[in-house]
Amino acid sequence: MQKPNEIREHILAVEQTKKITGAMELISSTRMRQVMGHIEHNRRYFTDIRRTMKEILTSSQEISHPFLHERERRHCTYVVFSADKGFCGAHNNNVLNFALDRIREHPRECGLVTLGHTAESFFPAHGVMPDICMRGIVQDPTLDRAREVADELTSLYTRELTDEIRIIYTSFYGETKRQPTEVRLLPLLLPDYDDVRDAEQMDEIMYHPSAQTVFNQMVPQYVVGLMFGIMVQAYASEHFARMTAMRSATTNAKDMIDNLSTQYNLVRQSAITNELAEIADAAEILKGANEYGSGF
């Protein structure tokens, strides 16, 4: 059985841990709330631009763009988003194992781009070496950073270093909420817009100066918008997972403190009882000794 001093030190250590997990929960909840506005605004913008792109693609006019041509898919590049840090439950393990399974499922040649320190260290440990490791991106999702990532990926595609680019991340809303998700970034194919509703026919809408010019302007913005939306979803999912994990850890710490406090009181009470018993025994011995001495 532990001594009272040992239990008291254990309680103090758990209380310090509880303070840390409580602070981490508060930080993650604050950061998640800050990015929620970006998610909603980006979703509205993205819904409108996808609807317009489908309207143009389904028109009777010929629309051409280098990103629209499906190539013979000999090489596919996977872009994997993970967190820079841990303490977020199964968030990192889920998305990284999902990505690893996807890479191993396809026998054709694959490339890998990682965003996040955990992804950068995970794949080499499993025999998959990243081609590009982009650092300092996932902890600060901004349009400039999204444009930086989009430019790097589109450069790979336009230089024909890859035939397809797919992104794996953790979704924050929809049917795949807080689950690993895979989307195609390039090429832009009409089946990718099957979920878009209310797309009008071209003969009912006029584009100036032409549909081709509008489409050429929209495609780069679409790619950047898609990348930014993925970045903020991955960021929000990470902090939601961390907030949940730290809340659970804080609750467990409280329960542990209660159990240790009960154990401490029992041990302390037992120690006091033993001390009283020892005092009583000593008093009896002294009393007996006095009586024995008075008999002479």
Side-chain angles (χ1 to χ4, degrees), residues 14-37:
V14 176
E15 286 179 344
Q16 292 297 323
T17 302
K18 184 170 71 72
K19 291 179 181 179
I20 294 173
T21 57
M24 293 179 68
E25 177 190 353
L26 182 61
I27 292 172
S28 292
S29 63
T30 301
R31 290 179 176 175
M32 190 181 66
R33 284 196 299 269
Q34 289 174 347
V35 81
M36 286 300 295

Side-chain angles (χ1 to χ4, degrees), residues 75-144:
H75 186 279
C76 178
T77 297
Y78 286 94
V79 183
V80 182
F81 280 81
S82 73
D84 276 342
K85 304 173 183 177
F87 298 102
C88 49
H91 172 82
N92 286 320
N93 284 336
N94 289 342
V95 69
L96 293 176
N97 285 315
F98 177 84
L100 185 63
D101 291 340
R102 295 293 295 143
I103 292 173
R104 288 175 172 173
E105 281 177 5
H106 295 79
R108 68 176 186 270
E109 185 179 358
C110 291
L112 177 62
V113 178
T114 62
L115 291 96
H117 294 318
T118 54
E120 184 178 346
S121 59
F122 173 85
F123 287 103
H126 290 79
V128 181
M129 296 304 298
D131 298 292
I132 300 175
C133 297
M134 304 189 72
R135 303 180 179 91
I137 300 292
V138 295
Q139 287 301 318
D140 187 15
T142 63
L143 275 174
D144 289 338

Side-chain angles (χ1 to χ4, degrees), residues 108-246:
R108 68 176 186 270
E109 185 179 358
C110 291
L112 177 62
V113 178
T114 62
L115 291 96
H117 294 318
T118 54
E120 184 178 346
S121 59
F122 173 85
F123 287 103
H126 290 79
V128 181
M129 296 304 298
D131 298 292
I132 300 175
C133 297
M134 304 189 72
R135 303 180 179 91
I137 300 292
V138 295
Q139 287 301 318
D140 187 15
T142 63
L143 275 174
D144 289 338
R145 294 179 183 273
R147 191 172 289 107
E148 176 185 348
V149 178
D151 290 344
E152 181 72 25
L153 298 178
T154 54
S155 176
L156 292 176
Y157 189 80
T158 54
R159 288 184 293 156
E160 298 187 356
L161 298 178
T162 187
D163 302 310
E164 185 179 21
I165 297 177
R166 290 181 171 270
I167 302 177
I168 295 176
Y169 67 103
T170 304
S171 176
F172 190 71
Y173 57 78
E175 296 179 357
T176 58
K177 188 173 183 179
R178 294 191 291 279
Q179 297 178 10
T181 306
E182 178 183 351
V183 297
R184 177 167 45 215
L185 180 68
L186 292 173
L188 305 176
L189 303 179
L190 191 58
D192 295 336
Y193 300 88
D194 288 342
D195 60 322
V196 177
R197 299 291 181 264
D198 303 326
E200 303 293 340
Q201 294 298 322
M202 184 63 187
D203 55 5
E204 300 178 10
I205 301 176
M206 298 296 295
Y207 293 96
H208 182 77
S210 66
Q212 181 68 64
T213 303
V214 173
F215 190 78
N216 291 341
Q217 292 292 326
M218 289 175 59
V219 167
Q221 299 301 321
Y222 171 81
V223 174
V224 174
L226 175 59
M227 184 57 61
F228 180 67
I230 289 172
M231 288 173 62
V232 295
Q233 283 195 66
Y235 182 81
S237 297
E238 172 195 344
H239 285 288
F240 182 86
R242 183 171 291 113
M243 180 185 69
T244 304
M246 293 300 99

